[in-house]
Structure formats: C-alpha cells, structure tokens
Amino acid sequence: MNMLIATTLALFLFTFVVANEANSITKKHYIVYMGDHSFSDSNSVISSNHDLLASVTGCSIHEAEEATVHHYSKSFRGFSAILTDDQAQQLRQTESVISVFENIESKSDVIVGVIDSGVWPDSESFNDNGLGPVPKRFKGECVPGDEFTVDNCNRKIIGARYYSQGNEKASGPFESRNLTFFQSARDSDGHGTHVASTVAGSVVNNVSLLGMASGTARGGMPSARLAIYKTCWLGGGCTDADNLAAFDDAISDGVDIISISIAASPDGFFDDPISIGSFHAFKKGILVSTSAGNTGVATTKCAPWLLTVAASSIDREFISNVQLGNSNILKGSSINPLKMDKFHRIIFGSDAAAAGVSAGNASSCIKGTLDRKLIKGKIVVCRGSGSAKDIAVRDGGGVGMILFAPSFGLLSDSSPQYVIPTTVLDTKEIQALRKYATQAKRPIAKIFPSMTAIANNTRAPKMARFSSIGPNTVTPDIIKPDITAPGVRILAAWTPVGLRAGRSVDYNVLSGTSMACPHASAIAAIIKSHHPSWSPSAIKSAIMTTANAMDNTKRPILESPTDSPASPFNYGSGHINPIAALDPGLVYEFGSNDILNFLCGARANSSQIQMLTGAQITCKNPVIPTYNLNYPSIGVANMNGKVTLKRTVTYVGRGPATFRAFTRNPSGVKVTVKPSVLRFKKTGERKSFRVRFMPSKASNGGFVFGSMSWRSDLYQVRSPIGVNVITV
C-alpha cells in the first residue's frame, strides 16, 4: 500500500503505556505534529526530530532515538514518541511544534458500510484477530448465499447483504452471461474486496502482487468493522434500484460511514439514487464518501452532503526497463511480472501492417491490423493505450510489447496488466528507441520484469488524468470534488477468481477514484472514532480544511499528463492530511434544514424537494443563495459585481484561541474578511464572519481561484475560493 498513508495511519493502531519501575513515572505514546517543513530529505527531518526531543526533554540523542516510534518526514513533519506528561507539555510550548496529543487507539466499534461488488471473506485482510465483540448497536445481517455462509462473517465483516433483483431485471439472469458469479455477498469481480480492504483491512505482512509492491498491507483503519452491501455484478454493473436498497439497509443497520465507489447519474439530486440515499444517510448522522469518477471530465457527484473524492498519485513507481542491443537501458513503467529470458527483434506496429491496413492504424496494434508473419517472435512497439493490444500481439505471435503515447501520463496513471511482457516508455525514451531501431541493422531488445521503487525525485501527489473534475454541473457554487486521496496504483486485497491478464492473485494493484474514496472513508472513520458526536458535515469539514494543496516538493500540486498546476476543480481543498484532520481547530457545519434552504436557492420546486427529503417546505422569498451554504470551500459561479457571503465556524480546539484571517486573492478579485480576528474562549463556541468579493475585471467565462485561511498559533484552517466573474 501507499507507504505514506500506511505509515501515517499506522500510528492509530496501538496504544503504548510504559511503566517506569524505577521512578513510577507513567509514560504514554504522544504524537508531535509540526506541519510543513523545508528539509531536503527525510533523514534531515529525522535527525532534527531527535535533536528537538533531546533538547526539550533533556535526554541524550540515543535516548531520543529510543523514545521515538514514528517519524513523519515526507508530506509534513512530526514524530510520535514515548513521553511523560511533563515532556509532552514542554514540547507543546516549543515554537516549532503545532500540537501534541496523546495517541489513542482507534476504537473498534466504528462500522463502515461498503456498497460495491461484495467481498472475498477468505482474504487474510479480513481476519478479525484482536477485535472485540460485534457492536451491539449493529442491526444488520449476514445473509447466506452461494459459497457464503454466516460463518464467513466474523468480528471484522460483521454484516453482508446482496441485491440482485434490479440487475437481473435490467440485464437478464446471471446464468446467461457466461461469467463467474456468486448469488451472495461473495465477490467474483475483485473491486469490492479491494475497496473494503483499503478502508479497514487488517494488518497482513509479506504481501505483494507477484513480487511487486511487497510489504505490509493495512487498511486505513484496521480496527473498524465492515458491513458489506453487494450491488455490483459482472456483466451488469450496479443498478440504481439495487444501490438505493443498499442505502436503505445500511442506514437502518446502523453504520457510521458509507463508502461507495460507484458511478452516479448525471441527472442531478432528484433522480440519482446516490444523492437520494446519501441525503437520508446525512440526516441520520452518517457521512457518505464517494468516488469523483474516472471520466476526466465533470464529476456527477455534485451534492454538498457527499464527500466527493478525486484521485492522485503516490511516490511509488513500477519500473520495467528495456535493454537495447547496444546495451543502453531505457526506463519504462509497467506492472509487469513476466520475465523475458533473451533478446528479441523489435518492430514498430506501423511497419507491420496487415494487408489493406494503413501504417497509422497498425501503429495502434488493434486486433486484425498486424501482419502475423512480420511480428512473430518479436517485440512490437505500439501507440496508445488499450488492454486488448497485448492480446492482439500475443495472438499474432509477438513475444512482448512496448507502449508509447504523446503524453506519458496518458498511460502511466493506469494499472493495466498484460498477457505478455509489456512496458510503457515516455517521449524521450521512445525517441531513443526509434533512433536505435533506425541505425541498427538488427535492432533487438529485452523487457525486464517490474521493480518497485520509492522515487525521491518524483513529484507527488499529482492529479490523475482520469480523475473527474469540476466545475459542479448541478450547483456550481459548490466546488467539487471536495478532496483528493491516493488513487494511482494502490495495492489491496483481491478475489482469486477475478482474473487479471489470466492470472489469479490474492492482492492486486488498481488505479481509480474508486481506490481514492476508501482512503478518505477510512479517515472519516478514524475521526468518527475520536469524535463520536461530530456530525457528517463536521467530519467532512475537518478533512477538507486541513488538506494540503502542495506536493512533496512544497510546490503546487500538478495535474497529469500536462504537468501544469492543478486547481480546486482537480483536487478540491487538497490532498488528505490524516493527522491534522483529527484536530482541525475549526469546523464548518450545516444540517438538514440548511440543505432545504440550499435546495430552494438552487431553484428546486417544492415537489422536487419533497421527493428528495420527504419534507413539505415553502421556500423563503427571497431565497438564500447557494453560495451561502456553510460549506468548507467557497464558490461563487455567477459574480455580477460585489458579492458578500456568510460563514460560521465552530471551535473544536482546546483552551482559548485567537484566529486571524489570511486571504490569497483570485486574479482580478479583492477578498476581505470581517471580522478579520476571531477569539474563542472555549470549545463549542460558534462565530460568524463575512467574506466580501470586489471584482476589478471579468474572468472571461472561467473560474479564478484563491483561498482564505484562519490561522492561530496551533491551527491553519484553509478554504479554497473559486469565483466566476461575469460583470464588474
């Protein structure tokens, strides 16, 4: 799994209490959070952490090294250590330290409902070692079916249901599809197993995908419980009727968080089961986390009560190099477990066109475009993506494939697996290959199996090219997506009957916003475990306002494949920051009544609102503008002259605190905040403020972006701003 997320979330697994028998001083496991850093590498951060701990507590460097448990050195700075209460207090008073808080074991009674393709319960990722009894408040069932009995549920998978009626009515009986299926919650696809284990998989050592990405697999919150709701089936997808039935049960069963990595209808709030089901979950205090989508264009997950999650990369690479006959090595990228024992001739697809096929069409290596005599026994160089190219090359007698595209990111963000040795080259490397193939009398090459590497010089996170984006097509004052999380080449559990490139595996690497969503779902579950009384909007706010818009080089997050700066329409509020989200300082909250006013502001009629909410309502006149929903981000889609909007924050920190407003103006728009200082005396206090926009030029039909932050000595609470200035 992603090293950063696995390391960051691992700190919630254990509680260390050490008794010092010599002096009877109790020590505890504390987390010391220090925010961003400017060190050049992780070793410098670790060394500085040891120096700080030694200087503040009066211990030696060796004792500081012995006391530390974790170092956080990549995306932010901090450490966890075994300390006395006095030592923790000394660190709190240190200028470079933002916060110090005791590590508390994430409570194991948090229940995450996963609506997807089911689960492979036999995976070691779903063992229930160390978990206590099933929470008594859970009302769900373990429904038996094909190769799934009540014994397949345990203290990890505490509930399992399946829904097939809508799917079979839409696509016909499962028996007619000639595909492996289980008329039960057992997963024949793998997608649901991957998602569920990413949320709450147990700790499993020594896992890999055929030797790649080897290490320890761990869900975001291993102590959480899972309730499985299978609505997705091979050959028929996931039907609206079945999805809504799953929401109905999950809410009634008593889950705390719902994770749903399923496509949504583009028809708006009133005809989309995910919007409808998640609204009712929201009313019951359940946050729904959902994938933004993999279209690369506007997301359909537009409802403000949803946590919409985009996908971004991690700093792990799968390197599959190519050695040429002149001994030069070309760097390639691929999930390629296959070994090529010797060198083979190279041929470009464009030079191997079948009779009647143009060179341009043959360059894509689509079935039927290649001359079998010309490619037999050779490595074929093909243009573009597409999972069937390798099959076309193999069936034609080819022994390997090299892929290239005008932009490397078009291929490198995905996670396809191939039936023959295959790698992907970027533009620079493919030019070197062309030059060699032109000059050599008998050009040959060998493709190496993939090596897994953590790339120190790779900028991450980077927005995946497939990740769906803004603006919000239903209510454009609400910036979507809300957040981004790791979603490129993520390792998690798999079903052995869900074959990839004809291979059966227990763990698999996938890319998609489906993989990003469960990362955010896990963080929401952790927050719920530490703050059980928090509302869905408070949890969502904590995740959003603590997110980071900078990458591991402290520069703005980029988007793939262009490597141009990304915007809130790509990443929402930024990349998730699990530690900061636990202690956000301030939260923006909104409830069901606020949603009713929001729907009125969106010009929904009374019958539509009643259809969604079940409530009869008469909208205020004038209606409250949708940009006045108390949302953690700030959007104004149609700015005609000066606009003033209102927000309210609730203080959730400890002790008195003073926050000051800081703004970064969108191009051509001046932003002011009044009051610019908020003073809180105690936890739970609420204070309102107004944000005024004064445009000086139109934005020419597009959005311009900035931000607003509330900063105290301990906290930075950041909201992205996106405005579309129509007239000045």
Side-chain angles (χ1 to χ4, degrees), residues 134 143 162 175 182 185 244 376 450 542 548 706 725:
V134 174
V143 178
Y162 65 98
E175 291 81 1
F182 303 102
L244 199 55
K376 185 176 180 180
S450 295
N548 198 337
V725 181

Tab-separated table of all heavy atoms in Angstrom, residues 134 143 162 175 182 185 244 376 450 542 548 706 725:
chain	number	residue	atom	x	y	z
A	134	VAL	N	-18.896	-8.004	18.228
A	134	VAL	CA	-19.623	-7.150	17.292
A	134	VAL	C	-20.413	-6.107	18.080
A	134	VAL	O	-21.070	-6.443	19.073
A	134	VAL	CB	-20.577	-7.996	16.422
A	134	VAL	CG1	-21.448	-7.109	15.553
A	134	VAL	CG2	-19.780	-8.978	15.572
A	143	VAL	N	-26.235	-12.439	5.440
A	143	VAL	CA	-27.186	-13.172	4.603
A	143	VAL	C	-26.448	-14.268	3.831
A	143	VAL	O	-25.526	-13.974	3.067
A	143	VAL	CB	-27.898	-12.220	3.628
A	143	VAL	CG1	-28.861	-12.995	2.733
A	143	VAL	CG2	-28.627	-11.119	4.386
A	162	TYR	N	-26.728	-8.848	-0.159
A	162	TYR	CA	-26.567	-8.716	-1.608
A	162	TYR	C	-27.912	-8.399	-2.249
A	162	TYR	O	-28.982	-8.736	-1.724
A	162	TYR	CB	-25.948	-9.972	-2.215
A	162	TYR	CG	-26.782	-11.233	-2.116
A	162	TYR	CD1	-27.558	-11.671	-3.183
A	162	TYR	CD2	-26.764	-12.009	-0.953
A	162	TYR	CE1	-28.305	-12.831	-3.097
A	162	TYR	CE2	-27.498	-13.173	-0.852
A	162	TYR	CZ	-28.275	-13.580	-1.928
A	162	TYR	OH	-29.025	-14.737	-1.836
A	175	GLU	N	-27.018	-16.543	-15.112
A	175	GLU	CA	-26.608	-17.776	-15.792
A	175	GLU	C	-26.401	-17.559	-17.289
A	175	GLU	O	-25.651	-18.301	-17.934
A	175	GLU	CB	-27.657	-18.875	-15.574
A	175	GLU	CG	-27.737	-19.402	-14.152
A	175	GLU	CD	-28.557	-18.496	-13.231
A	175	GLU	OE1	-29.074	-17.457	-13.707
A	175	GLU	OE2	-28.675	-18.823	-12.032
A	182	PHE	N	-21.487	-15.298	-8.023
A	182	PHE	CA	-21.969	-15.898	-6.788
A	182	PHE	C	-23.227	-15.151	-6.384
A	182	PHE	O	-23.187	-13.932	-6.186
A	182	PHE	CB	-20.927	-15.796	-5.673
A	182	PHE	CG	-19.602	-16.422	-5.997
A	182	PHE	CD1	-18.522	-15.640	-6.366
A	182	PHE	CD2	-19.448	-17.804	-5.949
A	182	PHE	CE1	-17.295	-16.208	-6.664
A	182	PHE	CE2	-18.218	-18.388	-6.242
A	182	PHE	CZ	-17.141	-17.588	-6.609
A	185	ALA	N	-23.022	-12.421	-1.191
A	185	ALA	CA	-22.124	-11.284	-0.993
A	185	ALA	C	-20.690	-11.595	-1.392
A	185	ALA	O	-19.836	-10.699	-1.363
A	185	ALA	CB	-22.173	-10.824	0.470
A	244	LEU	N	-30.059	1.846	-4.212
A	244	LEU	CA	-30.929	2.524	-3.255
A	244	LEU	C	-31.379	1.567	-2.158
A	244	LEU	O	-31.488	1.954	-0.981
A	244	LEU	CB	-32.136	3.128	-3.980
A	244	LEU	CG	-32.881	4.232	-3.235
A	244	LEU	CD1	-31.939	5.366	-2.828
A	244	LEU	CD2	-34.019	4.775	-4.089
A	376	LYS	N	5.837	-12.163	-35.634
A	376	LYS	CA	6.090	-13.408	-34.936
A	376	LYS	C	7.476	-13.406	-34.300
A	376	LYS	O	8.483	-13.110	-34.939
A	376	LYS	CB	5.962	-14.589	-35.895
A	376	LYS	CG	6.105	-15.940	-35.192
A	376	LYS	CD	5.872	-17.093	-36.165
A	376	LYS	CE	6.010	-18.434	-35.434
A	376	LYS	NZ	5.780	-19.585	-36.352
A	450	SER	N	9.080	-5.869	-13.643
A	450	SER	CA	8.986	-4.619	-12.876
A	450	SER	C	9.732	-4.709	-11.552
A	450	SER	O	9.713	-5.735	-10.867
A	450	SER	CB	7.523	-4.281	-12.603
A	450	SER	OG	6.851	-4.005	-13.803
A	542	ALA	N	-13.456	18.833	8.691
A	542	ALA	CA	-12.127	18.534	9.243
A	542	ALA	C	-11.193	17.981	8.173
A	542	ALA	O	-10.009	18.325	8.114
A	542	ALA	CB	-12.262	17.546	10.400
A	548	ASN	N	-3.880	19.566	2.054
A	548	ASN	CA	-2.686	20.260	1.585
A	548	ASN	C	-2.737	20.422	0.077
A	548	ASN	O	-2.903	19.443	-0.650
A	548	ASN	CB	-1.437	19.467	1.977
A	548	ASN	CG	-0.172	20.297	1.927
A	548	ASN	OD1	-0.107	21.307	1.237
A	548	ASN	ND2	0.837	19.868	2.667
A	706	GLY	N	-8.479	31.320	-5.461
A	706	GLY	CA	-7.684	31.845	-4.372
A	706	GLY	C	-7.951	31.016	-3.138
A	706	GLY	O	-8.369	29.853	-3.229
A	725	VAL	N	-16.326	35.602	-12.496
A	725	VAL	CA	-16.763	36.995	-12.551
A	725	VAL	C	-17.409	37.251	-13.913
A	725	VAL	O	-16.740	37.198	-14.957
A	725	VAL	CB	-15.581	37.953	-12.326
A	725	VAL	CG1	-16.079	39.399	-12.355
A	725	VAL	CG2	-14.889	37.646	-10.997
